[in-house]
Amino acid sequence: MRYAQLVVGPAGSGKSTYCSTIVKHANDSKRIVEVVNLDPAAEHFDYEPLVDIRELIHLDDAMEDEELQFGPNGGLVFCIETLLENCDWLEEQLGDVDDDYILFDCPGQIELYTHLPVMRKLVDQLQRWNFRICVVFMVDSQFMIDGAKFLSGTMAALSVMVNLELPHVNILTKMDLLTKTARNQIDSYLDPDPHILLTDMRNAKSKWHEKYAKLTEAIGQVIENFSLVRFYPLNIKDEESIENILLTIDNIIQYGEDADVKIRDFDEPDPENDDE
Ligand SMILES: Nc1nc2c(ncn2[C@@H]2O[C@H](COP(=O)(O)OP(=O)(O)OP(=O)(O)O)[C@@H](O)[C@H]2O)c(=O)[nH]1
Ligand SMILES: [Mg+2]
């Protein structure tokens, strides 16, 4: 068995930063976590990738090709399709080491995860190679600080969950950048009660919300009743926050269960993990 986090989310939400943060944090506790760069247009990241899609195909290859003539978005999809057609290459690059723990740093084009089939196909392939995968969906917390935005971020998370059909964790990134007021606002949405969110939106008194108040409420109910979407705040300047996220995900993909079943069972009963 091998373990993987598929790190996805909108452009600039903090995916690559998350990957390097986790690698550093893991290294500090003598644990090895590798990163695979799946972004064919990546220019900068702070980790040494185990595999880099740009060695197979770069976005420029797709855009500058006389025949293909892709724009940046179509080009990106083309690159991932090329990767899928060259599965042997990826398989060889990944090697076959038991217990490997790999983060896949994905491109920031949201439609790859919400409705296109390419990422889903990649996931199927990884599972055939014995990876146990958790999708890690990153959302910039700065875009979640009022009721309407929070709901919209929640719907995005939901469509990724439905499309990829995998164990799934949502992370609110860049918590270090929030003001205290904004932080409190977000905290009130996370815990304990999504009704606050609805009340908040009702109080906003925009025309749209007046008209669609029932819709908002219905969506809120569905999300609440099925415990569908939960967000974990991440502050990369706080080691404890990083550790909590990593532990949560390890539990979901059952990493290290054989080694320290006892510690996990007795110290960390986490009912949230039942929603896989
Ligand atoms: N302060 C702070 N800045 C962050 C954090 N995460 C990301 N950033 C900054 O946000 C910008 C985008 O971060 P990236 O990690 O490149 O985001 P990404 O999701 O990989 O972006 P794309 O690959 O382009 O989709 C960079 O300038 C980062 O330094 C964070 O937790 N705190
Ligand atoms: Mg990136």
Side-chain angles (χ1 to χ4, degrees):
M1 191 50 71
R2 291 185 278 175
Y3 305 87
Q5 296 185 20
L6 195 71
V7 182
V8 306
S13 53
K15 299 177 290 299
S16 304
T17 306
Y18 168 82
C19 291
S20 50
T21 305
I22 293 291
V23 167
K24 266 188 225 121
H25 181 85
N27 281 351
D28 286 348
S29 48
K30 305 249 180 323
R31 175 173 161 188
I32 296 171
V33 174
E34 302 276 7
V35 189
V36 169
N37 172 43
L38 287 186
D39 186 350
E43 280 178 4
H44 172 79
F45 41 73
D46 275 340
Y47 53 77
E48 198 57 53
L50 173 73
V51 183
D52 190 340
I53 188 176
R54 295 174 305 171
E55 283 175 17
L56 179 72
I57 184 164
H58 193 285
L59 182 63
D60 293 342
D61 302 337
M63 289 178 64
E64 282 161 14
D65 189 285
E66 301 262 317
E67 270 177 44
L68 300 171
Q69 295 215 334
F70 278 115
N73 297 305
L76 191 84
V77 176
F78 176 82
C79 289
I80 305 288
E81 277 166 354
T82 305
L83 177 71
L84 287 171
E85 279 159 22
N86 290 276
C87 272
D88 296 351
W89 177 85
L90 182 61
E91 186 176 16
E92 195 185 308
Q93 297 272 314
L94 285 173
D96 187 13
V97 181
D98 216 23
D99 286 332
D100 259 6
Y101 197 111
I102 300 178
L103 314 178
F104 290 84
D105 184 10
C106 297
Q109 194 181 343
I110 190 79
E111 55 266 44
L112 286 175
Y113 322 111
T114 52
H115 64 278
L116 290 178
V118 282
M119 281 323 243
R120 180 56 204 258
K121 283 188 196 153
L122 179 70
V123 159
D124 291 344
Q125 189 58 260
L126 290 175
Q127 286 178 324
R128 277 196 287 276
W129 294 333
N130 274 340
F131 276 99
R132 207 179 274 154
I133 311 166
C134 181
V135 173
V136 184
F137 182 69
M138 322 289 284
V139 193
D140 188 330
S141 56
Q142 289 168 297
F143 300 128
M144 299 284 272
I145 51 181
D146 71 43
K149 288 186 185 131
F150 198 91
L151 194 62
S152 146
T154 302
M155 297 304 283
L158 200 55
S159 64
V160 175
M161 287 168 68
V162 169
N163 190 36
L164 294 181
E165 294 183 294
L166 281 174
H168 183 115
V169 167
N170 300 301
I171 294 183
L172 288 173
T173 60
K174 311 190 193 180
M175 290 301 285
D176 58 300
L177 295 180
L178 293 188
T179 61
K180 197 142 202 307
T181 326
R183 231 220 104 104
N184 289 340
Q185 186 73 7
I186 284 193
D187 280 347
S188 74
Y189 298 155
L190 298 179
D191 215 35
D193 186 354
H195 285 298
I196 298 173
L197 181 72
L198 300 176
T199 316
D200 194 52
M201 287 180 67
R202 241 176 258 133
N203 292 341
K205 294 227 187 317
S206 75
K207 274 233 164 67
W208 196 91
H209 288 310
E210 269 169 40
K211 190 162 175 201
Y212 294 107
K214 283 228 168 74
L215 175 66
T216 309
E217 194 161 331
I219 294 169
Q221 289 292 347
V222 169
I223 289 167
E224 190 193 9
N225 291 347
F226 295 90
S227 307
L228 276 175
V229 186
R230 174 178 176 178
F231 288 92
Y232 295 86
L234 170 65
N235 180 350
I236 58 168
K237 307 239 160 87
D238 174 4
E239 293 296 322
E240 204 181 314
S241 170
I242 302 167
E243 180 64 20
N244 281 339
I245 299 264
L246 191 56
L247 259 181
T248 302
I249 297 171
D250 286 351
N251 270 332
I252 289 175
I253 52 180
Q254 293 165 309
Y255 174 80
E257 289 243 310
D258 298 339
D260 42 21
V261 165
K262 282 205 174 111
I263 301 167
R264 296 268 155 74
D265 277 1
F266 294 111
D267 289 342
E268 308 235 353
D270 190 354
E272 296 303 328
N273 294 344
D274 292 342
D275 50 23
E276 283 168 33

